[in-house]
Structures are given as C-alpha cells and as structure tokens.
Amino acid sequence: MTGRVTLVLPAVARPDAATATPLGRLTVPGRAIPEKTVSVDPTEIGRLRDAARDAAARAHAPYSRFRVGAALIMADDQERRVISGANVENASYGGTICAERTALTQAATLGFRKLEVLVVSCVAALEAPVADRSPCGICRQVIHEFGSREPETLVIVDGGGEGALGDVFDLDRLLPYGFDLPI
Ligand code: THU
C-alpha cells in the first residue's frame, strides 16, 4: 500500500511584452504561476488510471478508432466514487464528445461541481508525446469550469510506459487564460 506523496509544481514566469505600432500597442500577455505543493495518492491515481483504461475499451469510436477513457473523483462527492467516461463519436463528426467531457457531464448530472482529480488515458498513444495524449482545448475549458483551488484540481495524463504513472497538470498548466464569464 502506498501512502500519499508530495509533488512540487514548479513556478513558471513568463514576462509581458509590448510593442508599439502606428495603430497602437500590441501586447503579449505574460504568465506568472507560483510554485505549488500538492499531495497525491498514487494508489488512487492507479485506480483511476485502470478505470480510465477500462472505459476506453467501451468507447464508441468507429470513425477515428482512437479510444479514450477518463475517470475522475469530485471533491464534493462524500462517497468519492469513481466516475468514468469514454469518447462517443457521431457520424456527423461534430456530435462527438470526448472521454473527459463524458465523465464530467456525468459527474455534473449527479449534482457534483468540484473536480478533484481526473485521469485520462489515450490507450493507443501511451508512448506518444504528451500533447498527443492530453485533453483537447474544449475539454480543458470544461475542466476549467469545474476546477477548484482548494483542493487544487489535478489532471493526470496516462503515461503508460514501464515505471511511469502519468503527467500531472494543475489548472494553470492545463489552460492559461481559461474563460470565465464576467458577470
Ligand atoms: N478525444 C478524447 O476523447 N479526448 C481527448 O482528450 C482527445 C480526443 C477523442 C475525440 C475523438 O473521438 C477521438 O479522440 C479522435 O480525436
């Protein structure tokens, strides 16, 4: 049995930049992410990883044949149940929903709003570069919707290989400038 382990997510600092043009200033917004320390339970991550891989086996992916599974735990679920989802494709293509959103919409439908940890597994691409097996932009925005600072939402991308449990993202690393409706 593994205990909890501490992860340090390093600070990231990217400066702003601005260039004057005849029509006005063009700004390149920078980014400052402070160092963060989080605690994770590798046993729980392993369980979610297995559930995600299991869900991927039930994907409806006749068009891309790219099966994806996701499994998550919501912080506001006292039972801490594992909620999973797979990608469900559609002949219209645009009707396709990714595994992460299938799992999250299920969690939201059960009444939960605060995502604690989500593991995604692109089972056919476990050895691929992380960009090829991590959530798409729409999923990142949907994860942002249910993201939490306390506890810090973590997204873990199945890294698959021998000795590798996964790649860890917090909200800041997952989606810089995620959209919030300013109302
Ligand atoms: N897909 C996911 O389910 N999650 C991702 O993070 C990336 C892509 C699905 C959508 C589609 O069914 C297939 O993978 C190929 O893009």
Side-chain angles (χ1 to χ4, degrees), residues 59-61 63-70 86-90 93 96-102 120-122 132-137 139:
H60 176 67
Y63 306 106
S64 73
R65 307 210 174 273
F66 192 74
R67 294 170 178 278
V68 185
N87 52 332
V88 179
E89 297 188 345
N90 188 271
Y93 286 29
T96 293
I97 181 164
C98 296
E100 298 91 320
R101 280 177 290 142
T102 306
V120 59
S121 181
C122 297
D132 297 352
R133 55 185 162 84
S134 59
C136 76
C139 287

Side-chain angles (χ1 to χ4, degrees), residues 42 45-57 66-71 99-100 117-135 140 154-169 174:
I45 294 172
R47 202 174 332 123
L48 289 170
R49 194 260 323 263
D50 293 346
R53 289 183 181 183
D54 220 53
F66 192 74
R67 294 170 178 278
V68 185
E100 298 91 320
V117 55
L118 179 150
V119 176
V120 59
S121 181
C122 297
V123 287
L126 297 177
E127 310 274 298
V130 71
D132 297 352
R133 55 185 162 84
S134 59
R140 287 173 196 238
L154 294 179
V155 171
I156 294 147
V157 178
D158 187 353
E162 187 66 24
L165 186 54
D167 299 279
V168 180
F169 293 82
L174 193 70

Side-chain angles (χ1 to χ4, degrees), residues 10-26:
V12 174
R14 249 173 25 209
D16 293 326
T19 305
T21 83
L23 293 179
R25 193 170 51 248
L26 280 173

